[in-house]
Amino acid sequence: MEEEKKNKLSMVVFSGDMDKLFAAFSIALGAAAAGMEVTMFFTFWGLRALKKKVATGKSLFGRMLGMMYGGDINRATPSKMSFGGVGRWMFKKMMKAKGVTPLPELRQTAIDLGVKMYGCQMSMDVMEIPKEKMLDEVQGCVGVAFFLEEARKSEVQLFI
Amino acid sequence: MNEEITVAKTLDLKGLLCPMPIVKIAQAIKEIEIGEVIEATATDPGVLADVPAWASTSGNEVVSLEHGDVITFRVRRIK
C-alpha cells in the first residue's frame, strides 16, 4: 500500500561550507514559514553547523581534525574563494552591508520555527564529536535508516 | 482600491532579504484571526515572486501586491 507523502521537507546537509549552509537554512526556513514540517540531517562536514564553539577529538587524528577544522558555524568558509579565511571575511562584510541575516541567526530562527535537526551518529563517531559538544537543540543522533524513513514520507527531499 | 478591507496588522519588512520577509510574514499571520488581513512593506524585489509562492504553499491569500517606490502587499489569513 502506498503511504501518503506529507507536506514535509527532508534534507541531508553534507556540506559545512558557508554558502551551502546559507542555502540549506534559507530553504528550511522558507519551508517552515509555509507550514511544512522540516527535518535536517547533518552529516560529515555539515556537522559543523550543529557544533558548539569547543575543541573536539580524543585520538591524535581526532584532535588534529578538531584543530584544523575546528570551530562552530561562524568558522564556515565559502566553497569558492576561501583564500584561507579572507573569503569568509569578505562575504561576511558584503552580506552585512546588504542586510543578509547571518548564519547563526538563520539557524536560531529555524529552531524557533520548529525545524528538527539531527546529527549523523556515524560521522560524529568518526570525527570524534560527541553529542555534548553539539547544540542542545539537536533532536538526536541517528543513522541512515532514520533519514530514509523521514525522506520517504516527505514531498520534498534535498541533498546539500 | 480596497477601501473596504481593514488591515489588522502592519509589518515593515524594508531592508530584509530572503528568506526573512517570508519568515516574518509567517510569524505575523499567526497573530491575526482567520479572515483578517496583514499589510506589509518591503524593498527586496524577491518578495514579488516569493509572497504569492508562500501563500500558495501555506494556503493563505494574497489580496494585493504593488510595486512602487517600495513593495506593498496584503495577505489574508485563510487557515
mmCIF file of all heavy atoms in Angstrom, chain A residues 7 26 29 33-34 36 98-101 106 109 113, chain B residues 15-20 22-23 26-27 54 57-58:
data_model
loop_
_atom_site.group_PDB
_atom_site.id
_atom_site.type_symbol
_atom_site.label_atom_id
_atom_site.label_comp_id
_atom_site.label_asym_id
_atom_site.label_seq_id
_atom_site.Cartn_x
_atom_site.Cartn_y
_atom_site.Cartn_z
ATOM 1 N N ASN A 7 3.227 17.007 3.666
ATOM 2 C CA ASN A 7 3.706 18.349 3.348
ATOM 3 C C ASN A 7 4.956 18.593 4.197
ATOM 4 O O ASN A 7 4.923 19.275 5.207
ATOM 5 C CB ASN A 7 2.606 19.363 3.685
ATOM 6 C CG ASN A 7 2.945 20.740 3.189
ATOM 7 O OD1 ASN A 7 3.784 20.905 2.309
ATOM 8 N ND2 ASN A 7 2.304 21.736 3.765
ATOM 9 N N SER A 26 18.200 28.675 4.435
ATOM 10 C CA SER A 26 17.187 29.502 3.772
ATOM 11 C C SER A 26 16.023 28.645 3.294
ATOM 12 O O SER A 26 14.851 28.998 3.477
ATOM 13 C CB SER A 26 17.788 30.247 2.575
ATOM 14 O OG SER A 26 18.802 31.110 3.016
ATOM 15 N N LEU A 29 13.997 27.410 6.255
ATOM 16 C CA LEU A 29 13.157 28.467 6.815
ATOM 17 C C LEU A 29 11.963 28.760 5.925
ATOM 18 O O LEU A 29 10.852 28.962 6.409
ATOM 19 C CB LEU A 29 13.982 29.745 6.998
ATOM 20 C CG LEU A 29 14.864 29.769 8.227
ATOM 21 C CD1 LEU A 29 15.673 31.049 8.273
ATOM 22 C CD2 LEU A 29 14.002 29.669 9.471
ATOM 23 N N ALA A 33 8.234 28.328 7.136
ATOM 24 C CA ALA A 33 7.351 29.504 7.092
ATOM 25 C C ALA A 33 6.081 29.197 6.316
ATOM 26 O O ALA A 33 5.030 29.773 6.579
ATOM 27 C CB ALA A 33 8.086 30.688 6.468
ATOM 28 N N ALA A 34 6.170 28.292 5.351
ATOM 29 C CA ALA A 34 4.997 27.938 4.557
ATOM 30 C C ALA A 34 4.205 26.796 5.209
ATOM 31 O O ALA A 34 3.338 26.214 4.576
ATOM 32 C CB ALA A 34 5.416 27.558 3.145
ATOM 33 N N MET A 36 5.366 23.864 6.297
ATOM 34 C CA MET A 36 5.844 22.496 6.102
ATOM 35 C C MET A 36 6.598 22.008 7.335
ATOM 36 O O MET A 36 7.217 22.788 8.032
ATOM 37 C CB MET A 36 6.769 22.424 4.875
ATOM 38 C CG MET A 36 6.083 22.738 3.566
ATOM 39 S SD MET A 36 7.240 22.838 2.176
ATOM 40 C CE MET A 36 7.589 21.119 1.896
ATOM 41 N N LYS A 98 24.623 44.361 2.940
ATOM 42 C CA LYS A 98 23.351 44.210 2.217
ATOM 43 C C LYS A 98 22.195 43.853 3.162
ATOM 44 O O LYS A 98 21.050 43.812 2.747
ATOM 45 C CB LYS A 98 23.468 43.099 1.162
ATOM 46 C CG LYS A 98 24.595 43.275 0.159
ATOM 47 C CD LYS A 98 24.202 44.230 -0.935
ATOM 48 C CE LYS A 98 25.177 44.273 -2.102
ATOM 49 N NZ LYS A 98 26.597 44.303 -1.774
ATOM 50 N N GLY A 99 22.529 43.545 4.394
ATOM 51 C CA GLY A 99 21.475 43.220 5.361
ATOM 52 C C GLY A 99 21.034 41.766 5.347
ATOM 53 O O GLY A 99 19.920 41.442 5.746
ATOM 54 N N VAL A 100 21.920 40.884 4.891
ATOM 55 C CA VAL A 100 21.593 39.450 4.918
ATOM 56 C C VAL A 100 21.676 38.954 6.358
ATOM 57 O O VAL A 100 22.582 39.327 7.101
ATOM 58 C CB VAL A 100 22.578 38.658 4.027
ATOM 59 C CG1 VAL A 100 22.373 37.151 4.168
ATOM 60 C CG2 VAL A 100 22.432 39.067 2.577
ATOM 61 N N THR A 101 20.715 38.149 6.752
ATOM 62 C CA THR A 101 20.709 37.597 8.106
ATOM 63 C C THR A 101 21.838 36.578 8.249
ATOM 64 O O THR A 101 21.952 35.674 7.436
ATOM 65 C CB THR A 101 19.362 36.916 8.380
ATOM 66 O OG1 THR A 101 18.330 37.853 8.077
ATOM 67 C CG2 THR A 101 19.244 36.473 9.818
ATOM 68 N N LEU A 106 19.964 32.610 11.329
ATOM 69 C CA LEU A 106 19.102 31.759 10.493
ATOM 70 C C LEU A 106 18.846 30.444 11.215
ATOM 71 O O LEU A 106 17.724 29.945 11.272
ATOM 72 C CB LEU A 106 19.759 31.485 9.137
ATOM 73 C CG LEU A 106 19.814 32.619 8.120
ATOM 74 C CD1 LEU A 106 20.449 32.118 6.826
ATOM 75 C CD2 LEU A 106 18.429 33.176 7.821
ATOM 76 N N THR A 109 16.467 30.950 14.079
ATOM 77 C CA THR A 109 15.095 31.127 13.595
ATOM 78 C C THR A 109 14.505 29.781 13.189
ATOM 79 O O THR A 109 13.331 29.503 13.435
ATOM 80 C CB THR A 109 15.059 32.105 12.399
ATOM 81 O OG1 THR A 109 15.800 33.274 12.758
ATOM 82 C CG2 THR A 109 13.648 32.510 12.044
ATOM 83 N N LEU A 113 11.167 28.076 14.662
ATOM 84 C CA LEU A 113 10.029 27.689 13.822
ATOM 85 C C LEU A 113 9.765 26.180 13.886
ATOM 86 O O LEU A 113 8.915 25.665 13.171
ATOM 87 C CB LEU A 113 10.260 28.102 12.370
ATOM 88 C CG LEU A 113 10.219 29.602 12.060
ATOM 89 C CD1 LEU A 113 10.451 29.848 10.584
ATOM 90 C CD2 LEU A 113 8.890 30.221 12.480
ATOM 91 N N GLY B 15 14.366 46.421 3.836
ATOM 92 C CA GLY B 15 15.765 46.113 4.133
ATOM 93 C C GLY B 15 16.012 44.627 4.357
ATOM 94 O O GLY B 15 17.152 44.188 4.324
ATOM 95 N N LEU B 16 14.960 43.863 4.578
ATOM 96 C CA LEU B 16 15.154 42.424 4.814
ATOM 97 C C LEU B 16 15.312 41.674 3.492
ATOM 98 O O LEU B 16 14.656 41.979 2.516
ATOM 99 C CB LEU B 16 13.969 41.835 5.578
ATOM 100 C CG LEU B 16 13.803 42.256 7.039
ATOM 101 C CD1 LEU B 16 12.604 41.562 7.640
ATOM 102 C CD2 LEU B 16 15.061 41.938 7.835
ATOM 103 N N LEU B 17 16.194 40.689 3.513
ATOM 104 C CA LEU B 17 16.417 39.866 2.328
ATOM 105 C C LEU B 17 15.949 38.441 2.605
ATOM 106 O O LEU B 17 15.777 38.038 3.752
ATOM 107 C CB LEU B 17 17.908 39.851 1.971
ATOM 108 C CG LEU B 17 18.529 41.178 1.538
ATOM 109 C CD1 LEU B 17 19.989 40.980 1.190
ATOM 110 C CD2 LEU B 17 17.801 41.761 0.341
ATOM 111 N N CYS B 18 15.798 37.686 1.530
ATOM 112 C CA CYS B 18 15.372 36.291 1.580
ATOM 113 C C CYS B 18 16.243 35.516 2.581
ATOM 114 O O CYS B 18 17.452 35.699 2.578
ATOM 115 C CB CYS B 18 15.514 35.668 0.195
ATOM 116 S SG CYS B 18 15.120 33.931 0.121
ATOM 117 N N PRO B 19 15.696 34.670 3.421
ATOM 118 C CA PRO B 19 14.281 34.271 3.494
ATOM 119 C C PRO B 19 13.469 35.043 4.541
ATOM 120 O O PRO B 19 12.350 34.652 4.837
ATOM 121 C CB PRO B 19 14.391 32.805 3.922
ATOM 122 C CG PRO B 19 15.557 32.810 4.861
ATOM 123 C CD PRO B 19 16.507 33.866 4.358
ATOM 124 N N MET B 20 14.026 36.128 5.082
ATOM 125 C CA MET B 20 13.396 36.734 6.254
ATOM 126 C C MET B 20 12.015 37.357 6.017
ATOM 127 O O MET B 20 11.154 37.263 6.894
ATOM 128 C CB MET B 20 14.346 37.751 6.911
ATOM 129 C CG MET B 20 15.610 37.133 7.491
ATOM 130 S SD MET B 20 15.374 35.536 8.297
ATOM 131 C CE MET B 20 14.628 36.036 9.834
ATOM 132 N N ILE B 22 9.567 36.308 4.255
ATOM 133 C CA ILE B 22 8.598 35.207 4.316
ATOM 134 C C ILE B 22 8.466 34.690 5.757
ATOM 135 O O ILE B 22 7.367 34.412 6.237
ATOM 136 C CB ILE B 22 9.086 34.071 3.379
ATOM 137 C CG1 ILE B 22 9.019 34.536 1.919
ATOM 138 C CG2 ILE B 22 8.302 32.796 3.574
ATOM 139 C CD1 ILE B 22 7.653 34.974 1.487
ATOM 140 N N VAL B 23 9.602 34.601 6.436
ATOM 141 C CA VAL B 23 9.592 34.131 7.828
ATOM 142 C C VAL B 23 8.779 35.088 8.703
ATOM 143 O O VAL B 23 7.942 34.671 9.505
ATOM 144 C CB VAL B 23 11.038 33.988 8.353
ATOM 145 C CG1 VAL B 23 11.054 33.750 9.848
ATOM 146 C CG2 VAL B 23 11.761 32.863 7.618
ATOM 147 N N ALA B 26 5.095 34.830 7.969
ATOM 148 C CA ALA B 26 4.548 33.585 8.521
ATOM 149 C C ALA B 26 4.338 33.721 10.033
ATOM 150 O O ALA B 26 3.350 33.216 10.576
ATOM 151 C CB ALA B 26 5.484 32.420 8.213
ATOM 152 N N GLN B 27 5.272 34.393 10.701
ATOM 153 C CA GLN B 27 5.130 34.563 12.154
ATOM 154 C C GLN B 27 3.988 35.528 12.476
ATOM 155 O O GLN B 27 3.205 35.295 13.383
ATOM 156 C CB GLN B 27 6.445 35.070 12.756
ATOM 157 C CG GLN B 27 7.513 33.979 12.812
ATOM 158 C CD GLN B 27 8.893 34.510 13.184
ATOM 159 O OE1 GLN B 27 9.220 35.670 12.913
ATOM 160 N NE2 GLN B 27 9.717 33.662 13.773
ATOM 161 N N TRP B 54 4.671 31.638 -1.399
ATOM 162 C CA TRP B 54 4.482 31.291 0.015
ATOM 163 C C TRP B 54 2.991 31.122 0.328
ATOM 164 O O TRP B 54 2.598 30.171 1.008
ATOM 165 C CB TRP B 54 5.087 32.383 0.918
ATOM 166 C CG TRP B 54 4.629 32.254 2.326
ATOM 167 C CD1 TRP B 54 5.101 31.390 3.272
ATOM 168 C CD2 TRP B 54 3.541 32.965 2.941
ATOM 169 N NE1 TRP B 54 4.396 31.524 4.437
ATOM 170 C CE2 TRP B 54 3.434 32.487 4.259
ATOM 171 C CE3 TRP B 54 2.672 33.973 2.506
ATOM 172 C CZ2 TRP B 54 2.483 32.967 5.146
ATOM 173 C CZ3 TRP B 54 1.723 34.440 3.385
ATOM 174 C CH2 TRP B 54 1.635 33.944 4.690
ATOM 175 N N THR B 57 1.749 27.802 -1.000
ATOM 176 C CA THR B 57 2.183 26.643 -0.205
ATOM 177 C C THR B 57 1.520 26.623 1.167
ATOM 178 O O THR B 57 1.144 25.567 1.667
ATOM 179 C CB THR B 57 3.717 26.646 -0.040
ATOM 180 O OG1 THR B 57 4.314 26.865 -1.309
ATOM 181 C CG2 THR B 57 4.220 25.327 0.527
ATOM 182 N N SER B 58 1.389 27.792 1.767
ATOM 183 C CA SER B 58 0.879 27.834 3.139
ATOM 184 C C SER B 58 -0.647 27.891 3.181
ATOM 185 O O SER B 58 -1.243 27.773 4.243
ATOM 186 C CB SER B 58 1.467 29.041 3.879
ATOM 187 O OG SER B 58 1.028 30.240 3.265
#
